[in-house]
mmCIF file with all atom_site columns, all heavy atoms in Angstrom:
data_model
loop_
_atom_site.group_PDB
_atom_site.id
_atom_site.type_symbol
_atom_site.label_atom_id
_atom_site.label_alt_id
_atom_site.label_comp_id
_atom_site.label_asym_id
_atom_site.label_entity_id
_atom_site.label_seq_id
_atom_site.pdbx_PDB_ins_code
_atom_site.Cartn_x
_atom_site.Cartn_y
_atom_site.Cartn_z
_atom_site.occupancy
_atom_site.B_iso_or_equiv
_atom_site.pdbx_formal_charge
_atom_site.auth_seq_id
_atom_site.auth_comp_id
_atom_site.auth_asym_id
_atom_site.auth_atom_id
_atom_site.pdbx_PDB_model_num
ATOM 1   N N   . GLU A 1 82 ? 104.600 88.686  73.501 1.00 0.00 ? 354 GLU A N   1
ATOM 2   C CA  . GLU A 1 82 ? 103.654 88.320  74.575 1.00 0.00 ? 354 GLU A CA  1
ATOM 3   C C   . GLU A 1 82 ? 103.361 89.499  75.472 1.00 0.00 ? 354 GLU A C   1
ATOM 4   O O   . GLU A 1 82 ? 104.187 90.407  75.591 1.00 0.00 ? 354 GLU A O   1
ATOM 5   C CB  . GLU A 1 82 ? 104.192 87.207  75.398 1.00 0.00 ? 354 GLU A CB  1
ATOM 6   C CG  . GLU A 1 82 ? 104.338 85.858  74.558 1.00 0.00 ? 354 GLU A CG  1
ATOM 7   C CD  . GLU A 1 82 ? 105.013 84.780  75.468 1.00 0.00 ? 354 GLU A CD  1
ATOM 8   O OE1 . GLU A 1 82 ? 106.108 84.976  75.942 1.00 0.00 ? 354 GLU A OE1 1
ATOM 9   O OE2 . GLU A 1 82 ? 104.275 83.797  75.669 1.00 0.00 ? 354 GLU A OE2 1
ATOM 10  N N   . GLY A 1 83 ? 102.160 89.506  76.082 1.00 0.00 ? 355 GLY A N   1
ATOM 11  C CA  . GLY A 1 83 ? 101.801 90.535  77.046 1.00 0.00 ? 355 GLY A CA  1
ATOM 12  C C   . GLY A 1 83 ? 102.421 90.188  78.464 1.00 0.00 ? 355 GLY A C   1
ATOM 13  O O   . GLY A 1 83 ? 102.791 89.065  78.728 1.00 0.00 ? 355 GLY A O   1
ATOM 14  N N   . VAL A 1 84 ? 102.389 91.238  79.343 1.00 0.00 ? 356 VAL A N   1
ATOM 15  C CA  . VAL A 1 84 ? 102.962 91.005  80.690 1.00 0.00 ? 356 VAL A CA  1
ATOM 16  C C   . VAL A 1 84 ? 102.161 89.978  81.464 1.00 0.00 ? 356 VAL A C   1
ATOM 17  O O   . VAL A 1 84 ? 102.749 89.198  82.256 1.00 0.00 ? 356 VAL A O   1
ATOM 18  C CB  . VAL A 1 84 ? 103.004 92.343  81.411 1.00 0.00 ? 356 VAL A CB  1
ATOM 19  C CG1 . VAL A 1 84 ? 101.652 93.008  81.621 1.00 0.00 ? 356 VAL A CG1 1
ATOM 20  C CG2 . VAL A 1 84 ? 103.747 92.149  82.816 1.00 0.00 ? 356 VAL A CG2 1
ATOM 21  N N   . GLY A 1 85 ? 100.885 89.850  81.212 1.00 0.00 ? 357 GLY A N   1
ATOM 22  C CA  . GLY A 1 85 ? 100.078 88.894  81.875 1.00 0.00 ? 357 GLY A CA  1
ATOM 23  C C   . GLY A 1 85 ? 100.313 87.419  81.390 1.00 0.00 ? 357 GLY A C   1
ATOM 24  O O   . GLY A 1 85 ? 99.979  86.453  82.078 1.00 0.00 ? 357 GLY A O   1
ATOM 25  N N   . GLU A 1 86 ? 100.942 87.299  80.244 1.00 0.00 ? 358 GLU A N   1
ATOM 26  C CA  . GLU A 1 86 ? 101.255 86.016  79.718 1.00 0.00 ? 358 GLU A CA  1
ATOM 27  C C   . GLU A 1 86 ? 102.677 85.621  80.079 1.00 0.00 ? 358 GLU A C   1
ATOM 28  O O   . GLU A 1 86 ? 102.979 84.431  80.237 1.00 0.00 ? 358 GLU A O   1
ATOM 29  C CB  . GLU A 1 86 ? 101.187 86.054  78.140 1.00 0.00 ? 358 GLU A CB  1
ATOM 30  C CG  . GLU A 1 86 ? 99.764  86.379  77.678 1.00 0.00 ? 358 GLU A CG  1
ATOM 31  C CD  . GLU A 1 86 ? 99.738  86.894  76.210 1.00 0.00 ? 358 GLU A CD  1
ATOM 32  O OE1 . GLU A 1 86 ? 100.716 87.531  75.775 1.00 0.00 ? 358 GLU A OE1 1
ATOM 33  O OE2 . GLU A 1 86 ? 98.766  86.604  75.582 1.00 0.00 ? 358 GLU A OE2 1
ATOM 34  N N   . VAL A 1 87 ? 103.559 86.635  80.255 1.00 0.00 ? 359 VAL A N   1
ATOM 35  C CA  . VAL A 1 87 ? 104.954 86.354  80.666 1.00 0.00 ? 359 VAL A CA  1
ATOM 36  C C   . VAL A 1 87 ? 105.074 86.134  82.157 1.00 0.00 ? 359 VAL A C   1
ATOM 37  O O   . VAL A 1 87 ? 105.767 85.242  82.642 1.00 0.00 ? 359 VAL A O   1
ATOM 38  C CB  . VAL A 1 87 ? 105.903 87.452  80.201 1.00 0.00 ? 359 VAL A CB  1
ATOM 39  C CG1 . VAL A 1 87 ? 107.287 87.259  80.684 1.00 0.00 ? 359 VAL A CG1 1
ATOM 40  C CG2 . VAL A 1 87 ? 105.874 87.526  78.697 1.00 0.00 ? 359 VAL A CG2 1
ATOM 41  N N   . VAL A 1 88 ? 104.382 86.992  82.920 1.00 0.00 ? 360 VAL A N   1
ATOM 42  C CA  . VAL A 1 88 ? 104.339 86.914  84.385 1.00 0.00 ? 360 VAL A CA  1
ATOM 43  C C   . VAL A 1 88 ? 103.009 86.355  84.763 1.00 0.00 ? 360 VAL A C   1
ATOM 44  O O   . VAL A 1 88 ? 101.965 87.037  84.674 1.00 0.00 ? 360 VAL A O   1
ATOM 45  C CB  . VAL A 1 88 ? 104.600 88.299  84.992 1.00 0.00 ? 360 VAL A CB  1
ATOM 46  C CG1 . VAL A 1 88 ? 104.612 88.162  86.509 1.00 0.00 ? 360 VAL A CG1 1
ATOM 47  C CG2 . VAL A 1 88 ? 105.894 88.847  84.493 1.00 0.00 ? 360 VAL A CG2 1
ATOM 48  N N   . ASP A 1 89 ? 102.965 85.163  85.269 1.00 0.00 ? 361 ASP A N   1
ATOM 49  C CA  . ASP A 1 89 ? 101.737 84.337  85.493 1.00 0.00 ? 361 ASP A CA  1
ATOM 50  C C   . ASP A 1 89 ? 100.794 85.135  86.325 1.00 0.00 ? 361 ASP A C   1
ATOM 51  O O   . ASP A 1 89 ? 101.067 85.489  87.536 1.00 0.00 ? 361 ASP A O   1
ATOM 52  C CB  . ASP A 1 89 ? 102.111 83.044  86.133 1.00 0.00 ? 361 ASP A CB  1
ATOM 53  C CG  . ASP A 1 89 ? 100.827 82.252  86.425 1.00 0.00 ? 361 ASP A CG  1
ATOM 54  O OD1 . ASP A 1 89 ? 99.958  82.062  85.536 1.00 0.00 ? 361 ASP A OD1 1
ATOM 55  O OD2 . ASP A 1 89 ? 100.754 81.705  87.567 1.00 0.00 ? 361 ASP A OD2 1
ATOM 56  N N   . GLY A 1 90 ? 99.591  85.410  85.745 1.00 0.00 ? 362 GLY A N   1
ATOM 57  C CA  . GLY A 1 90 ? 98.528  85.986  86.543 1.00 0.00 ? 362 GLY A CA  1
ATOM 58  C C   . GLY A 1 90 ? 98.631  87.512  86.774 1.00 0.00 ? 362 GLY A C   1
ATOM 59  O O   . GLY A 1 90 ? 97.882  88.110  87.495 1.00 0.00 ? 362 GLY A O   1
ATOM 60  N N   . PHE A 1 91 ? 99.577  88.191  86.119 1.00 0.00 ? 363 PHE A N   1
ATOM 61  C CA  . PHE A 1 91 ? 99.792  89.651  86.348 1.00 0.00 ? 363 PHE A CA  1
ATOM 62  C C   . PHE A 1 91 ? 98.613  90.313  85.774 1.00 0.00 ? 363 PHE A C   1
ATOM 63  O O   . PHE A 1 91 ? 98.306  90.223  84.542 1.00 0.00 ? 363 PHE A O   1
ATOM 64  C CB  . PHE A 1 91 ? 101.098 90.091  85.727 1.00 0.00 ? 363 PHE A CB  1
ATOM 65  C CG  . PHE A 1 91 ? 101.466 91.490  86.236 1.00 0.00 ? 363 PHE A CG  1
ATOM 66  C CD1 . PHE A 1 91 ? 102.139 91.616  87.411 1.00 0.00 ? 363 PHE A CD1 1
ATOM 67  C CD2 . PHE A 1 91 ? 101.233 92.612  85.518 1.00 0.00 ? 363 PHE A CD2 1
ATOM 68  C CE1 . PHE A 1 91 ? 102.536 92.776  87.923 1.00 0.00 ? 363 PHE A CE1 1
ATOM 69  C CE2 . PHE A 1 91 ? 101.568 93.836  85.974 1.00 0.00 ? 363 PHE A CE2 1
ATOM 70  C CZ  . PHE A 1 91 ? 102.248 93.960  87.153 1.00 0.00 ? 363 PHE A CZ  1
ATOM 71  N N   . PRO A 1 92 ? 97.885  91.175  86.580 1.00 0.00 ? 364 PRO A N   1
ATOM 72  C CA  . PRO A 1 92 ? 96.538  91.679  86.134 1.00 0.00 ? 364 PRO A CA  1
ATOM 73  C C   . PRO A 1 92 ? 96.583  93.002  85.476 1.00 0.00 ? 364 PRO A C   1
ATOM 74  O O   . PRO A 1 92 ? 95.480  93.447  84.983 1.00 0.00 ? 364 PRO A O   1
ATOM 75  C CB  . PRO A 1 92 ? 95.767  91.729  87.484 1.00 0.00 ? 364 PRO A CB  1
ATOM 76  C CG  . PRO A 1 92 ? 96.864  92.178  88.446 1.00 0.00 ? 364 PRO A CG  1
ATOM 77  C CD  . PRO A 1 92 ? 98.130  91.453  87.986 1.00 0.00 ? 364 PRO A CD  1
ATOM 78  N N   . ASP A 1 93 ? 97.674  93.701  85.332 1.00 0.00 ? 365 ASP A N   1
ATOM 79  C CA  . ASP A 1 93 ? 97.686  95.110  85.022 1.00 0.00 ? 365 ASP A CA  1
ATOM 80  C C   . ASP A 1 93 ? 98.540  95.405  83.785 1.00 0.00 ? 365 ASP A C   1
ATOM 81  O O   . ASP A 1 93 ? 99.448  94.632  83.502 1.00 0.00 ? 365 ASP A O   1
ATOM 82  C CB  . ASP A 1 93 ? 98.242  95.990  86.147 1.00 0.00 ? 365 ASP A CB  1
ATOM 83  C CG  . ASP A 1 93 ? 97.519  95.752  87.436 1.00 0.00 ? 365 ASP A CG  1
ATOM 84  O OD1 . ASP A 1 93 ? 96.232  95.556  87.469 1.00 0.00 ? 365 ASP A OD1 1
ATOM 85  O OD2 . ASP A 1 93 ? 98.204  95.627  88.498 1.00 0.00 ? 365 ASP A OD2 1
ATOM 86  N N   . THR A 1 94 ? 98.294  96.520  83.177 1.00 0.00 ? 366 THR A N   1
ATOM 87  C CA  . THR A 1 94 ? 99.232  97.087  82.214 1.00 0.00 ? 366 THR A CA  1
ATOM 88  C C   . THR A 1 94 ? 100.414 97.655  82.975 1.00 0.00 ? 366 THR A C   1
ATOM 89  O O   . THR A 1 94 ? 100.204 98.335  84.021 1.00 0.00 ? 366 THR A O   1
ATOM 90  C CB  . THR A 1 94 ? 98.588  98.189  81.339 1.00 0.00 ? 366 THR A CB  1
ATOM 91  O OG1 . THR A 1 94 ? 97.572  97.601  80.557 1.00 0.00 ? 366 THR A OG1 1
ATOM 92  C CG2 . THR A 1 94 ? 99.617  98.881  80.495 1.00 0.00 ? 366 THR A CG2 1
ATOM 93  N N   . LEU A 1 95 ? 101.607 97.363  82.517 1.00 0.00 ? 367 LEU A N   1
ATOM 94  C CA  . LEU A 1 95 ? 102.838 97.914  83.131 1.00 0.00 ? 367 LEU A CA  1
ATOM 95  C C   . LEU A 1 95 ? 103.319 99.161  82.370 1.00 0.00 ? 367 LEU A C   1
ATOM 96  O O   . LEU A 1 95 ? 103.395 99.093  81.166 1.00 0.00 ? 367 LEU A O   1
ATOM 97  C CB  . LEU A 1 95 ? 103.933 96.841  83.144 1.00 0.00 ? 367 LEU A CB  1
ATOM 98  C CG  . LEU A 1 95 ? 105.253 97.337  83.874 1.00 0.00 ? 367 LEU A CG  1
ATOM 99  C CD1 . LEU A 1 95 ? 105.092 97.333  85.330 1.00 0.00 ? 367 LEU A CD1 1
ATOM 100 C CD2 . LEU A 1 95 ? 106.364 96.425  83.439 1.00 0.00 ? 367 LEU A CD2 1
ATOM 101 N N   . LEU A 1 96 ? 103.528 100.216 83.063 1.00 0.00 ? 368 LEU A N   1
ATOM 102 C CA  . LEU A 1 96 ? 104.131 101.420 82.475 1.00 0.00 ? 368 LEU A CA  1
ATOM 103 C C   . LEU A 1 96 ? 105.485 101.649 83.126 1.00 0.00 ? 368 LEU A C   1
ATOM 104 O O   . LEU A 1 96 ? 105.655 101.453 84.281 1.00 0.00 ? 368 LEU A O   1
ATOM 105 C CB  . LEU A 1 96 ? 103.211 102.675 82.688 1.00 0.00 ? 368 LEU A CB  1
ATOM 106 C CG  . LEU A 1 96 ? 101.838 102.619 82.123 1.00 0.00 ? 368 LEU A CG  1
ATOM 107 C CD1 . LEU A 1 96 ? 101.127 103.945 82.495 1.00 0.00 ? 368 LEU A CD1 1
ATOM 108 C CD2 . LEU A 1 96 ? 101.825 102.403 80.616 1.00 0.00 ? 368 LEU A CD2 1
ATOM 109 N N   . ALA A 1 97 ? 106.428 102.020 82.204 1.00 0.00 ? 369 ALA A N   1
ATOM 110 C CA  . ALA A 1 97 ? 107.782 102.325 82.756 1.00 0.00 ? 369 ALA A CA  1
ATOM 111 C C   . ALA A 1 97 ? 108.411 103.482 82.041 1.00 0.00 ? 369 ALA A C   1
ATOM 112 O O   . ALA A 1 97 ? 108.223 103.630 80.765 1.00 0.00 ? 369 ALA A O   1
ATOM 113 C CB  . ALA A 1 97 ? 108.678 101.058 82.571 1.00 0.00 ? 369 ALA A CB  1
ATOM 114 N N   . VAL A 1 98 ? 109.123 104.293 82.728 1.00 0.00 ? 370 VAL A N   1
ATOM 115 C CA  . VAL A 1 98 ? 109.911 105.339 82.139 1.00 0.00 ? 370 VAL A CA  1
ATOM 116 C C   . VAL A 1 98 ? 111.341 104.834 81.948 1.00 0.00 ? 370 VAL A C   1
ATOM 117 O O   . VAL A 1 98 ? 111.916 104.303 82.936 1.00 0.00 ? 370 VAL A O   1
ATOM 118 C CB  . VAL A 1 98 ? 109.932 106.581 82.977 1.00 0.00 ? 370 VAL A CB  1
ATOM 119 C CG1 . VAL A 1 98 ? 110.946 107.673 82.295 1.00 0.00 ? 370 VAL A CG1 1
ATOM 120 C CG2 . VAL A 1 98 ? 108.539 107.246 83.039 1.00 0.00 ? 370 VAL A CG2 1
#
Side-chain angles (χ1 to χ4, degrees):
E354 298 177 297
V356 61
E358 300 160 329
V359 174
V360 181
D361 179 47
F363 195 81
D365 308 318
T366 294
L367 180 77
L368 300 179
V370 174

